[in-house]
Amino acid sequence: MAILEVTNLTKSFGKTKVLKGISFQLEKGNVLSVIGSSGSGKTTLLRCINFLETADGGKIVVDGDTIFDSESDVKLSKKQQLEKQLKIGLVFQDFNLFPQYNVLDNVTLALKIRAKERPDFKKNKKQIYAEIEQKALALLKKMGLSDKVKNYPCELSGGQKQRVSIARAMALEPKILFFDEPTSALDPELTGEILKVIRELAEEHMTMVIVTHEMTFAREVSDYIVFMDDGIIAEEGKAEEVIGNPKTERLKAFLSKISD
Amino acid sequence: MSFSTVNSELFIGFFENVKLFGITLLFALPLGLIIAFGSMSKFSPVKLLTRGFVWIIRGTPLMLQLFVVFYVPGLLFDIRFPGSNPRMTAAAIAFVINYACYFSEIYRGGIESIPKGQYEAGQVLGMTKTQVFFKVILLQVIKRIVPPMSNEFMTLIKDTSLARVIAVADIIMVAGKFSARGIIWPLFYTALFFLVFCGLMTVIFGRIEKRLDYFKA
């Protein structure tokens, strides 16, 4: 069964239709890359699925749970909405780390805030915080940042910042992790370390959706590729086929422009 | 008139200035934040009303506001300020309202300068808007508004001497009484009080800036 089902998603800003009915599915443990020129709607798609924008129409189902349905009359409280949102994690293009917290606190902040709602929080505060920190340290170790846990974001390189932000998103154990052009804000020589981390996550069968410009990487790491053009999915399929053997003129044009 | 007599009377006067300074900050700092939220409200009646109010307060002289607060309630509604020192109460009300409006604009500038991504990052991590504001945004705002705030604090201590127009016995008023008796030097000597106070403030704000220097925002 698909872990992510997006059906007929639409979004307009004023009179501009940015998403004109997007539908796709993603199987658990698979990696999907969304490619397309700027203005094609790929970032809006990602922002709608992450609730940073509210879609005008359509339906989003994650792991059998409907997290958005424009037809539904069921009104969710803000709290319930946030809970549903947490099934999805997001890594931003420009990291958006919290500058006043060190690396460890960036990763633990949301977990610690959430822990306060646990009924046993007052009784077991110390133990709960210790567990959260253990978990964060393990994630940071995996990201190769064990020696940076006490550093502040301003003391890190772009690649390190992005790895912290991946750890921060992973800490909430999302079912699907989204990346919004994770290497676009990095110097070319730093993109490698992020791509390596994503590749490792893919090997562990983390379900991921990556909006990216890195064609070679997309081809290598993704199971599926969706090519967006002017608010619709113009072409989709297995990574090899879509990039290696494009069918539509638009995609051919896009790929040749990218490789120049 | 001995130096120490003048000195101790001036100190008593300056204590009034410092008292007004303290009360103003105590109430105007939080009130300013509320006004800032009002002027950023998405509900346009609230926004327009708040911005109109801020315009009136910032657009008229503080001295005039002191007169209005002190005289108008009595003239129109026959209300007197309660307490042993109604003049100080009236002055404090005028100062709190006036400074809250200036603070609100500083807060607004600070809050609006924080990148949208900080709010979005908080949101996708499951935080509520209130949690994002207090856990993520506020300290960054404070760091950004320390320099303009230090300006306001310095202006405030000097502005407090305006309260003498409604006969709050501040340091300048005390010194003025000496001048009326032909002793002119205490009036100029009051400058030293303000200078020392502002010097102290500079040191304190410098410390705060340094304390917040550990991160860049």
Side-chain angles (χ1 to χ4, degrees), chain A residues 42 92-95 162 180-188 191 194-195 211-214:
Chain A
K42 54 192 196 305
F92 293 89
Q93 181 176 348
D94 38 13
F95 334 125
Q162 193 57 297
D180 184 12
E181 301 186 15
T183 58
S184 295
L186 300 176
D187 292 335
T191 60
I194 299 307
L195 300 181
V211 170
T212 184
H213 284 131
E214 300 269 339

Side-chain angles (χ1 to χ4, degrees), chain B residues 33-53:
Chain B
L33 194 57
I34 295 169
I35 296 174
F37 283 124
S39 63
M40 290 186 291
S41 172
K42 282 187 186 127
F43 184 57
S44 47
V46 170
K47 180 168 135 179
L48 289 175
L49 271 174
T50 321
R51 293 205 172 180
F53 181 73

Side-chain angles (χ1 to χ4, degrees), chain A residues 47 51 97 99-101 152, chain B residues 118 120 123 135-136 215:
Chain A
R47 289 177 63 85
F51 294 95
L97 293 179
Q100 73 269 44
Y101 293 110
Y152 287 89
Chain B
Q118 291 288 306
E120 293 185 345
Q123 190 196 319
K135 296 282 181 182
V136 176
F215 73 90

Side-chain angles (χ1 to χ4, degrees), chain A residues 47 50-52 79 82 85-86 88 90 92 96-101 109-110 113 116-117 152 154 168-169 172, chain B residues 115-129 131 134-140 214-217:
Chain A
R47 289 177 63 85
N50 281 278
F51 294 95
L52 295 174
K79 198 80 214 158
L82 278 175
Q85 256 171 256
L86 285 179
I88 299 172
L90 175 62
F92 293 89
N96 293 332
L97 293 179
F98 305 135
Q100 73 269 44
Y101 293 110
L109 180 70
I113 290 175
K116 285 183 184 150
E117 283 156 26
Y152 287 89
C154 61
R168 184 174 69 171
L172 287 147
Chain B
K116 213 172 81 193
Q118 291 288 306
Y119 294 93
E120 293 185 345
Q123 190 196 319
V124 298
L125 292 169
M127 294 184 216
T128 63
K129 278 192 175 144
Q131 286 166 346
F134 285 104
K135 296 282 181 182
V136 176
I137 306 298
L138 188 58
L139 192 62
Q140 297 183 48
Y214 72 92
F215 73 90
K216 286 202 180 72

Side-chain angles (χ1 to χ4, degrees), chain A residues 188-223:
Chain A
E189 72 263 28
L190 296 176
T191 60
E193 55 184 288
I194 299 307
L195 300 181
K196 182 169 158 271
V197 167
I198 295 175
R199 204 173 290 130
E200 281 166 11
L201 290 173
E203 278 161 18
E204 292 166 23
H205 301 293
M206 178 77 206
T207 313
M208 292 184 281
V209 177
I210 308 166
V211 170
T212 184
H213 284 131
E214 300 269 339
M215 273 328 120
T216 24
F217 168 70
R219 180 180 193 159
E220 182 199 342
V221 80
S222 340
D223 300 291

